[in-house]
Amino acid sequence: MIPLGHFVTLSAFLFCVGLFGVLTQRNAIRFLIAIEIMLNAAGINLVAFNRYQGASDATGQVFTLFVIGVAAAASVVGLVLIISVYRLRKSVFTDDFNLLKW
């Protein structure tokens, strides 16, 4: 059996990789992928803690399915926004997203 610390370490590593991607990427699609990595790290934690808590129900897995569903919906909305900005500006870089400026 794999100890809980390994799952938490993996989740922390994935979260840090996603956070690094969010803070450093200029490409909007890579930005969305980094957010997805962070949400997957949270899902790993939910499943791991539910498994090691010893509960017979599958609440961690159910919450993880909800996280995956919300992440998929957020990705769709984000991609629609990126496509609409790309049609206007011909760029997917976040530096060029100045549509709300006066």
Side-chain angles (χ1 to χ4, degrees), residues 27-42:
N27 189 332
I29 296 173
R30 289 183 184 173
F31 184 82
L32 285 176
I33 291 172
I35 291 174
E36 292 293 326
I37 290 172
M38 292 170 64
L39 289 172
N40 284 332

Side-chain angles (χ1 to χ4, degrees), residues 42-57:
I44 289 172
N45 267 338
L46 287 170
V47 172
F49 280 111
N50 183 50
R51 172 71 176 99
Y52 283 95
Q53 182 185 12
S56 61
D57 58 350

Side-chain angles (χ1 to χ4, degrees), residues 4-26:
L4 179 62
H6 292 330
F7 289 112
V8 173
T9 304
L10 173 67
S11 178
F13 175 74
L14 285 176
F15 191 84
C16 289
V17 167
L19 184 64
F20 178 76
V22 166
L23 294 176
T24 60
Q25 293 300 320
R26 292 180 42 216

Side-chain angles (χ1 to χ4, degrees), residues 69-88:
V70 168
S75 294
V76 168
V77 170
L79 284 174
V80 166
L81 291 173
I82 290 170
I83 289 170
S84 65
V85 169
Y86 178 76
R87 287 182 180 175
L88 292 173

